[in-house]
Amino acid sequence: MYLSNEQERMLSGEEGEAVRKAMELIVALGKIYEAERLIPVSSVQVSGVSYKTIGDAGLEFIEDYAEMMKKEGKKVRVKTTMNPAGMDIEKWQVMGVDREFAEKQMRIYKAYVSMGIEPSLTCTPYYFVNVPKFGEHLAWAESSAVSYANSVIGARTNREGGPSALASAITGLTAEYGLHLEENRKADVVVEVDFNPDSYLYAALGNHLGSLLSKMGKKVPYFRGIKPSEDDMKALGAAMAATGSIALYHVEGTTPEWKNAIDDDLEVIKVDELEIREHIKGMDRDCEPELIAIGCPHASERELRRIAEMVKGRRKREDKELWVSVSRAVAERNKDAVRVIEDFGGLVLRDTCMVVSPIEKRFRSTGVNSGKAAYYLPKESFCRQCVRFRPLEDLVRMVIA
Ligand code: F3S
């Protein structure tokens, strides 16, 4: 693999140990994937922020790295934003998070901030805080954001792991392979949808197709027959990325690269509504949710305002909680909607979500409209929830007295 003189210097340790270690990882990945060279990235999204998901080993690794960078006077080289943490860093007590968890979570957060990473704590950085442009190369690690950046925006990123994204933040580089290369962005299967899904069905469609396509060895689906909104694409892509390894999809007539995405004679699979309704039966369990949790990925302005509209002037049921997860940027820009939901008795959470916070310590059953959350929350997973999977409107109605 070709390395420039400057990259060779970085790899040899001339710029310090923090940069050397980061370069070593990027070069190793480049060799594994047979990249010809390294390329600059314009932004990074790091994952591995929640104490619930990374534990003490992750905390120690991040603190050690932050300490090394501090000693060497190094910061991240490109715009770098952070995935959600295990709690709202201001409202963690209201969420019922215990002090030990909160202290460890804050150590992770502070270590990242000391590296120069922006304290965004959201999986939807593309709304306001880290907005990529078409064709830009990125190193993002949040699977739902990777799908959105590639598919809806037309930026280019592989699905990075936590350490490789951090290494890209420190070096400003990534190896040029996978979805950075034009030829790997072509569709390898056509999915014909013969019904008109609403946003809830898009989440279910994604949950179903992610695992189905991965089993078929397909990586880049091309959808025909649908006209999704941006929220629908967010739900579809997040679910496909969670249940499978889909990091890019195209939608005929909608996404920015669809025109050059298919060649002739691609395999075609057809999906009808009955198949999706059948699939939903396995996602929607028969239980009364104690918690209604919306915002996976973090809610858009439109979703937040829709919830506010529904609960305005109403009273919340005492026996159920409502959590709406959003980015700080979306909450800031929609203070009126946040106030309405909080007056109702709901909790508008910044910085976190129902999956990466320790909800299992307080709740046994949760209602969601997210195909990704429905995959990560169930009893057999680390969230141990009985999951109701319902449309947003049904969920909000469940919590109104
Ligand atoms: Fe975001 Fe949490 Fe879902 S990080 S994509 S809201 S699992």
Side-chain angles (χ1 to χ4, degrees):
M1 185 170 59
Y2 168 78
L3 294 183
S4 69
N5 289 342
E6 192 200 350
Q7 291 164 359
E8 291 283 7
R9 276 200 304 280
M10 290 162 80
L11 185 61
S12 71
E14 278 184 42
E15 294 198 21
E17 193 57 8
V19 172
R20 188 192 67 73
K21 282 191 164 178
M23 272 302 271
E24 215 171 59
L25 177 53
I26 288 173
V27 170
L29 283 171
K31 285 184 180 161
I32 291 167
Y33 291 103
E34 297 177 354
E36 287 183 5
R37 57 177 188 156
L38 305 183
I39 51 170
V41 290
S42 49
S43 80
V44 173
Q45 165 84 358
V46 293
S47 63
V49 181
S50 163
Y51 175 64
K52 175 177 168 178
T53 58
I54 66 170
D56 288 321
L59 163 62
E60 209 174 297
F61 169 80
I62 292 155
E63 280 192 331
D64 287 351
Y65 219 106
E67 190 53 36
M68 179 165 50
M69 288 177 72
K70 195 170 159 199
K71 275 196 196 128
E72 295 177 354
K74 290 280 186 282
K75 297 267 185 198
V76 293
R77 290 189 187 209
V78 287
K79 183 176 183 67
T80 303
T81 44
M82 236 187 256
N83 234 22
M87 62 191 203
D88 183 314
I89 60 171
E90 286 160 9
K91 294 186 199 157
W92 56 272
Q93 278 163 313
V94 190
M95 290 176 70
V97 171
D98 67 59
R99 187 164 294 280
E100 189 193 343
F101 183 101
E103 281 170 4
K104 289 186 170 174
Q105 180 60 71
M106 288 311 289
R107 281 169 55 192
I108 297 169
Y109 171 76
K110 285 179 184 159
Y112 276 133
V113 170
S114 78
M115 295 177 187
I117 298 175
E118 293 178 24
S120 51
L121 296 170
T122 180
C123 51
T124 56
Y126 44 80
Y127 284 147
F128 295 109
V129 290
N130 188 354
V131 188
K133 293 195 188 71
F134 180 88
E136 272 183 357
H137 293 275
L138 321 171
W140 283 19
E142 160 54 40
S143 69
S144 66
V146 165
S147 168
Y148 198 93
N150 275 321
S151 315
V152 182
I153 298 174
R156 285 146 193 250
T157 175
N158 289 318
R159 182 171 167 171
E160 300 291 344
S164 67
L166 185 59
S168 287
I170 292 164
T171 59
L173 299 165
T174 193
E176 191 183 39
Y177 68 94
L179 295 176
H180 292 288
L181 298 169
E182 196 67 44
E183 63 265 28
N184 296 329
R185 300 182 66 84
K186 293 243 181 213
D188 55 6
V189 62
V190 173
V191 180
E192 284 183 1
V193 182
D194 79 347
F195 64 105
N196 193 15
D198 58 16
S199 58
Y200 159 74
L201 291 181
Y202 275 110
L205 182 67
N207 183 292
H208 176 50
L209 283 176
S211 55
L212 181 72
L213 295 175
S214 290
K215 276 181 209 143
M216 292 167 67
K218 303 296 183 192
K219 291 193 170 125
V220 185
Y222 177 96
F223 287 92
R224 197 172 269 157
I226 53 172
K227 273 270 162 249
S229 68
E230 286 183 6
D231 285 343
D232 297 334
M233 289 191 279
K234 180 180 71 156
L236 173 72
M240 281 197 295
T243 64
S245 50
I246 310 296
L248 166 66
Y249 62 90
H250 305 285
V251 181
E252 193 165 273
T254 303
T255 53
E257 294 171 84
W258 73 271
K259 279 190 182 152
N260 299 319
I262 44 172
D263 297 326
D264 299 339
D265 68 19
L266 274 187
E267 186 176 352
V268 177
I269 62 167
K270 294 182 192 287
V271 188
D272 61 25
E273 186 166 353
L274 197 64
E275 187 178 339
I276 299 306
R277 297 268 173 209
E278 271 305 307
H279 180 73
I280 287 174
K281 288 183 188 163
M283 299 168 71
D284 182 29
R285 300 296 158 92
D286 186 18
C287 52
E288 191 61 33
E290 298 165 344
L291 170 68
I292 299 298
I294 298 165
C296 172
H298 279 176
S300 66
E301 293 186 291
R302 200 202 60 83
E303 291 166 321
L304 181 70
R305 301 193 81 80
R306 174 73 189 120
I307 297 163
E309 215 174 84
M310 286 191 73
V311 302
K312 190 169 186 173
R314 309 297 295 270
R315 208 162 41 81
K316 185 178 82 63
R317 280 176 61 156
E318 295 290 327
D319 60 339
K320 291 189 194 298
E321 295 288 315
L322 170 67
W323 287 5
V324 184
S325 303
V326 291
S327 64
R328 284 195 173 264
V330 164
E332 266 305 299
R333 285 169 168 82
N334 294 275
K335 285 189 181 134
D336 53 337
V338 170
R339 202 169 311 115
V340 167
I341 295 168
E342 291 185 339
D343 285 349
F344 167 74
L347 204 49
V348 178
L349 296 173
R350 290 82 165 167
D351 319 324
T352 189
C353 75
M354 68 297 265
V355 172
V356 300
S357 65
I359 60 164
E360 64 284 357
K361 298 209 170 140
R362 256 190 87 192
F363 303 103
R364 281 161 302 156
S365 50
T366 301
V368 296
N369 64 338
S370 158
K372 175 170 179 175
Y375 178 71
Y376 283 116
L377 287 179
K379 278 201 161 57
E380 50 282 10
S381 77
F382 72 152
C383 296
R384 303 201 294 273
Q385 299 298 295
C386 180
V387 176
R388 287 304 321 251
F389 175 71
R390 304 294 309 152
L392 182 137
E393 281 74 12
D394 284 10
L395 295 171
V396 175
R397 266 183 233 113
M398 280 183 200
V399 80
I400 294 175

